[in-house]
Amino acid sequence: MRSFVFFGICFSIFVIKKSYCQLSDRSFEEYNETLTLRDLPDGKLLAHFEFTTQVKANTKPNAPLLDYGLYPKAIGEVLQAYNVREMHLSFTQGRWNYEEWGYAPTLSVGTGVELWAWMNDSKDLDAQWKSLTNTLSGLFCASLNFIDETITTEPRLSFRTTDERDQQLRYGSLPHENVCTENLTPWVKLLPCKAKSGIAVLLNPHKIYNSNFHSMAIHAKSICVDEACTERYLELKQALSSVMDPVRDTSRRDWSLGAVFDRTLRNACPVAKESKILVDLVNAGNEYELKPLTEQQDNMAIYKLSPNSKEPFDIYMTWKENSFLYPLEPTYPMINAERYFTGYGQERGGLKMTIYNRNKFNAMPVVYYDSIPWYLKLYLHTLQVDVFNYNNQSEVKMSSDEIIQQMYYQPAIDRGRPTTLECELLIPANSVVTLSMDFEKVFLKYTEHRPDANRGFDIGSAVITTWIPKMNQKLGELQRIYTDTLLVDLPTPDFSMPYNVITLTCTVIALFFGSLFNLLIRNFIVLQ
């Protein structure tokens, strides 16, 4: 009897294992981790972590993927449940200084939380987008559930992907969202080795958040190679960037891994195919000393970590100088943008966008994207385009049709959707282009104001998409430039008035009631 039960259990396990393997078979799986350290022109240090997980799996036609391996199951199930082909989520605190630091190592550096996703076209797409934001909100302990229809847009010219067939794009951002360790902890748990080994050991929240700028992002893809979806390609890229300031503490730009992160690095992640640290020497100058010595390629020092190493590993970089001398001239990028409000008062105002093209020889194509909340009523007929020479600021006679190649405009609906403005622009060489529009401020209901009503309302960053020319590249390198977030002051009622009325009313009632109560219950006696 026992032998019969034993053979029955073994047969059941064999059948279950066989069907499971037929349902999901990972033909390729790879995990890499990289840390890039770059000295910035103003003495600060940029630390950019990048963790990449790639999986190729074979499944039955249109069957769900159950066996993920190195790929985090939490992200994989989210992509499958809501038919997401491509998803980009970023948490950013601080402002990326393009004039001092150049372009960012990651494409998403807008202040606050930014989420955009390509999803399979369906009738309940908006419901899936809402469910996606709610799920990610719980997964990363963030307020992504506040991305509702009033701040969700459908860009037509920006945030493009390689294959857009049968897909739709949704975009939303929360510029006032703060980033804290409660967002970093679930982000780290998605890594195969967590923060136990490998480069992720250096992710010290006290050091990362004590910086001038920090941003962490997730870029996930789930692509069906064939129409029956029997072969899938999954990719997850986790990126974290932080700008440290060693000059602030020591007046010198010397740094080491132990001093910057206050952690000890020993070995690579055991499941990582490649684990390396790159030190960018472009802005280092000539009088520096880098220890330990290693190979260099294209002004890049390469340190490869071994999973079997048990000795502590550290990198030291020093300069032969008593104190750091700040550069007198900033390092302007080729394409840069600024956005600000104009006008005064609480009824009307204006929005002005300034785009700089410092390419002296060629005109540069850019795509301008802006999402304005519904409580700012933009007037499209007031759109004005001005062109100035970059050197002497003299006005250049050019029509708006020569600058604006294509435009997509979607007006706002009160409490329904924001205003979406996208323009494909051709910026002349060595010039400055300004786009200005007028708007009117809407009176909100008193219940729609925030608790800190007099602070104002945050307006998310505008996004400039451009392609910077590079050697041996026809299209150039894709870059997204984010402007600063704005703060708008809307007509605000005097919320202290109800308090004053209540106080005065209670005082009058108390005096009246007290006097009347005494007259009614007091017994008057004539004294002899």
Side-chain angles (χ1 to χ4, degrees), residues 59-63 223-232:
T59 61
K60 290 184 177 180
N62 298 318
I223 302 174
C224 292
V225 179
D226 54 355
E227 295 183 359
C229 206
T230 59
E231 184 179 354
R232 298 187 184 186

Side-chain angles (χ1 to χ4, degrees), residues 99 332-334 355-360 387-394 396 428-433:
E99 296 182 354
Y332 292 109
M334 182 179 296
I355 305 175
Y356 300 88
N357 179 16
R358 298 181 178 89
N359 191 328
K360 297 182 179 180
V387 184
F388 301 92
N389 186 279
Y390 178 75
N391 295 329
N392 53 22
Q393 299 299 317
S394 61
V396 180
N430 198 33
S431 65
V432 180
V433 174

Side-chain angles (χ1 to χ4, degrees), residues 223-354:
I223 302 174
C224 292
V225 179
D226 54 355
E227 295 183 359
C229 206
T230 59
E231 184 179 354
R232 298 187 184 186
Y233 173 74
L234 301 175
E235 182 185 73
L236 177 65
K237 183 180 293 185
Q238 297 178 244
L240 188 145
S241 302
S242 182
V243 177
M244 319 285 187
D245 191 4
V247 182
R248 179 180 57 185
D249 300 328
T250 62
S251 298
R252 296 170 57 90
R253 49 178 172 167
D254 302 342
W255 59 266
S256 65
L257 294 181
V260 171
F261 300 105
D262 196 21
R263 293 282 180 88
T264 301
L265 182 62
R266 295 185 179 275
N267 54 6
C269 177
V271 298
K273 179 182 178 181
E274 190 176 43
S275 179
K276 58 184 179 181
I277 300 177
L278 307 178
V279 180
D280 195 341
L281 305 175
V282 174
N283 300 320
N286 298 322
E287 298 182 355
Y288 69 88
E289 186 178 5
L290 183 63
K291 293 182 180 180
L293 299 177
T294 185
E295 61 173 326
Q296 296 186 12
Q297 296 179 1
D298 300 329
N299 286 330
M300 192 79 70
I302 304 174
Y303 295 90
K304 295 183 179 180
L305 303 180
S306 172
N308 301 322
S309 177
K310 297 182 179 180
E311 297 295 328
F313 178 77
D314 203 347
I315 301 175
Y316 302 87
M317 193 169 185
T318 58
W319 281 263
K320 298 179 181 179
E321 56 187 15
N322 296 327
S323 61
F324 175 69
L325 299 177
Y326 287 90
L328 299 178
E329 292 293 333
T331 306
Y332 292 109
M334 182 179 296
I335 299 293
N336 193 18
E338 297 175 355
R339 187 185 61 164
Y340 48 89
F341 285 137
T342 59
Y344 57 91
Q346 292 190 338
E347 295 182 5
R348 298 176 181 85
L351 180 68
K352 179 168 284 190
M353 183 73 184
T354 305

